[in-house]
Amino acid sequence: MSQSSPARLYIDTKRVVSEISPLLFSGFAEHMGRCIYQGIYDPASKHADQNGLRKDVLAALRALDFRSMRYPGGNFLSGYRWEDGIGPKDQRPRRRELAWQSIETNQFGTDEFLQFCSEINTEPMLGVNLGTGGIQDAANLVEYCNAPTGTHYSDLRAEYGQRNPYGVRYWCLGNEMDGPWQIGHLDAVEYGKKAREAAKLMRWHDDSIELVLCGSSSSQMPTYPEWDRVALEFCWEKVNYHSMHYYAGNPNDDTPSYLALSAALEDYVDTLAGVLRYVKAKTRSKHDVYLSWDEWNVWYKARESSDLRGNWAEAPHLIEEIYNLEDALVVAQWLSVFLRKADVLKIACLAQIVNVIAPILTRGDELLQQATFYPIKVFSQMARGDSLDVLVESPRYETSEYGDMPLLDVSATHDAAGAVSAIFIVNRSQNDDVPVEINWQDAMPTRVASACQLAGDDPKAANSWDNPHQLSTQAIDPPPIVDGATELRLPPLSFTALEVKF
Ligand code: AHR
């Protein structure tokens, strides 16, 4: 093992980017493949509770502490009739589901989802269908969930077991409506007008709701970022968030570039932040709209057309991506991007949570935690308070995609109330240890209370049913603080998190 020149980090707890929105650690559950059926909901499992929810999956999800959960899709949303999924289960229709060419039994619907959210202590974020669905359907769903009893849909809710309004606060105005693959795809003008009218009716039912507009499905879309500008100009005053989606991968097996992905992720946020500023100025508005990265993950291995079509089966195996060490290191720096951009980015939903491009896999009654499970858990548990602007002096390396990049990817948080900071560092080098010196600038911590690390020498190593614990975070000795600095050595291909007390 060789060693690079040293890196230096300078941390000032007053150099604040923004308070961190807890919703940056959110998830996304779609009626796709085995996410809902055989994932969250499996009455036949020995782990099923009285509602058919899998207790082992609930426990793993609780460990990830998702603050909100987006549902029911995804591409599924754009053909979904939400009324199919309420009421007596034996009367719910079986449907041919077109987005994933699967059979939808509707045994899990809005009420089951809201029950699931309360089990894992997460805020629901419901999507309304703006593909085949009309603005009336969207408004009816808000009435079903949030209106006091005494009218048709709110009385139905009471009849089906929930007298008090659920008070669902977060709502998505469709899904990826810019994509030609979307059921009921619209151009930006058509979508902007439909979303504005849906928002108007939904808010007339409940003006306390917060709405997410569909932004571009990725930065690679030919209509990006014009779609974003146009849709926002129609809807600016009526929405609170603008969505962005992105799936990353290493299809050319160029690990140095893949491990530098945060450069592209930051550029994507910066461009959309510019669009937000432009539309705010153009509309002479005092209102603010923030970004919701409500689908993000690594997804490139399970992307053949056979991974996307269910052949009209119930709960088919779709896009069950296996995650390796390099994927986990990309996920770790993606979470750091969320913190570094916390001033404009307020929601981020990992897509998805179980079986479908997920940190958790099930097989029969077994459960496997993939490599990506660990950085998600660490950030979700440790990032608190404010995000800090860390000054990073790092040795650099060459990538074919992004040119010269720092070997270290760093973020930090500070929670003044709890007198605690957290530092998150990825060492992108495949060969070199990086010695790092952390310098405390304005306030001197008393100790590093804990430290953990995910590391390995093979970027392609992954957990499997035969070897389920090959990759996980391990506690490491907390480094001491000496003369105002903390020194530690970061192994290649590693993610390290420190918790520091003041
Ligand atoms: O998460 C899988 C799919 O990816 C979602 O259904 C869709 O919104 C995106 O294209």
Side-chain angles (χ1 to χ4, degrees), residues 234-305:
F234 277 105
C235 298
W236 184 266
E237 294 294 335
K238 297 215 157 21
V239 300
N240 308 87
Y241 306 95
H242 183 70
S243 81
M244 53 194 296
H245 290 182
Y246 195 78
Y247 292 99
N250 186 13
N252 303 322
D253 199 14
D254 174 3
T255 294
S257 294
Y258 184 42
L259 289 176
L261 184 79
S262 67
L265 304 178
E266 293 198 347
D267 184 63
Y268 189 15
V269 175
D270 291 343
T271 301
L272 286 175
V275 176
L276 293 179
R277 281 198 291 274
Y278 173 84
V279 177
K280 181 175 178 180
K282 187 172 176 193
T283 55
R284 309 289 190 263
S285 177
K286 296 205 180 318
H287 175 66
D288 278 307
V289 176
Y290 296 96
L291 293 177
S292 170
W293 202 324
D294 51 35
E295 284 186 35
W296 71 272
N297 206 344
V298 170
W299 174 22
Y300 70 104
K301 304 178 201 94
R303 237 178 152 144
E304 300 296 320
S305 57

Side-chain angles (χ1 to χ4, degrees), residues 456-473:
D457 46 22
D458 177 5
K460 308 296 182 192
N463 291 344
S464 65
W465 294 104
D466 293 333
N467 193 358
H469 305 298
Q470 188 176 6
L471 294 170
S472 64
T473 33

Side-chain angles (χ1 to χ4, degrees), residues 28 30 32 74-75 100 175-176 247 295 299 319 352 357:
F28 166 47
E30 176 167 9
M32 175 178 185
N75 297 345
W100 307 116
N175 176 70
E176 294 190 349
Y247 292 99
E295 284 186 35
W299 174 22
I319 59 169
Q352 300 187 12
I357 43 173

Side-chain angles (χ1 to χ4, degrees), residues 173-196:
L173 293 162
N175 176 70
E176 294 190 349
M177 295 305 297
D178 62 327
W181 60 84
Q182 199 66 212
I183 299 172
H185 160 63
L186 300 171
D187 70 29
V189 172
E190 293 163 337
Y191 172 69
K193 289 180 179 170
K194 188 169 182 181
R196 181 191 61 200

Side-chain angles (χ1 to χ4, degrees), residues 190-217:
E190 293 163 337
Y191 172 69
K193 289 180 179 170
K194 188 169 182 181
R196 181 191 61 200
E197 295 308 302
K200 192 166 85 184
L201 271 61
M202 293 164 76
R203 285 194 180 287
W204 281 346
H205 273 301
D206 181 354
D207 197 33
S208 70
I209 59 177
E210 299 196 15
L211 292 172
V212 186
L213 189 68
C214 273
S216 288
S217 307

